[in-house]
């Protein structure tokens, strides 16, 4: 088991799942409180970005730079990298949840599902998938989060937490 956690991609995937959970919980908590999907996206993205930054820095890439200037540079780069996914999330949410929700619900037959079924009506799932509107939002949140994990890994690995490259001549 220890050997498994030595693999950076496995650690990233596990903390990516954790970030996704933070995002989902925050987003649907805000949706259920405010009934405003756009506000929920903004709040969930900010919460998930902060969670992901610190877990990636400490546990995934094991970055040791803690000087304030280094933290500021990394956090700025991290936020800039996540801005693309943030914009993608806002765009998809606007199209699929705000502007064309009724059409998508009808097209996929989400309005013909029995939401009294235990899967949809339990205390654990009702706030996420307990109606056609929530299920539609859940589906598109899931799609965005899969894209986010892939895109954000590439950005984090290649730009934000890149390991210092050692020149071969410096070793000799």
């Amino acid at each position: 088991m220890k050997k498994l956690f030595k693999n950076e991609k496995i650690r990233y995937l596990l903390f990516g799942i954790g970030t996704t959970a933070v995002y989902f919980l925050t987003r649907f908590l805000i949706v259920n409180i405010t009934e405003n999907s756009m506000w929920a996206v903004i709040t969930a993205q900010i919460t998930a970005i902060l969670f992901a930054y610190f877990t990636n820095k400490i546990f995934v890439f094991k970055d040791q730079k803690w000087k304030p200037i280094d933290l500021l540079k990394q956090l700025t780069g991290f936020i800039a990298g996540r801005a693309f996914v943030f914009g993608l999330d806002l765009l998809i949410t606007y199209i699929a949840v705000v502007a064309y929700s009724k059409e998508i619900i009808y097209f996929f037959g989400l309005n013909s599902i029995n939401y009294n079924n235990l899967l949809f009506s339990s205390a654990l799932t009702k706030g996420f998938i307990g109606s056609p509107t929530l299920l539609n939002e859940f589906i598109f949140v899931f799609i965005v989060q899969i894209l986010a994990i892939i895109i954000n890994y590439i950005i984090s690995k290649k730009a934000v937490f890149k390991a210092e490259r050692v020149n071969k001549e410096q070793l000799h």
Side-chain angles (χ1 to χ4, degrees), residues 35-51:
E35 297 181 4
N36 185 319
S37 295
M38 299 306 281
W39 179 244
V41 168
I42 293 166
T43 307
Q45 279 289 347
I46 291 168
T47 305
I49 287 169
L50 292 173
F51 177 85

Side-chain angles (χ1 to χ4, degrees), residues 47-67:
T47 305
I49 287 169
L50 292 173
F51 177 85
Y53 172 74
F54 287 106
T55 57
N56 283 336
K57 180 173 184 58
I58 296 166
F59 301 111
V60 176
F61 300 109
K62 298 183 179 187
D63 185 79
Q64 300 298 316
K65 298 174 193 159
W66 288 99
K67 291 180 185 173

Side-chain angles (χ1 to χ4, degrees), residues 7 33 37 47 89 103 106-107 132 153 162:
N7 185 315
I33 291 170
S37 295
T47 305
D89 194 1
E103 293 81 1
Y106 177 76
F107 180 79
Y153 177 77
K162 60 185 175 216

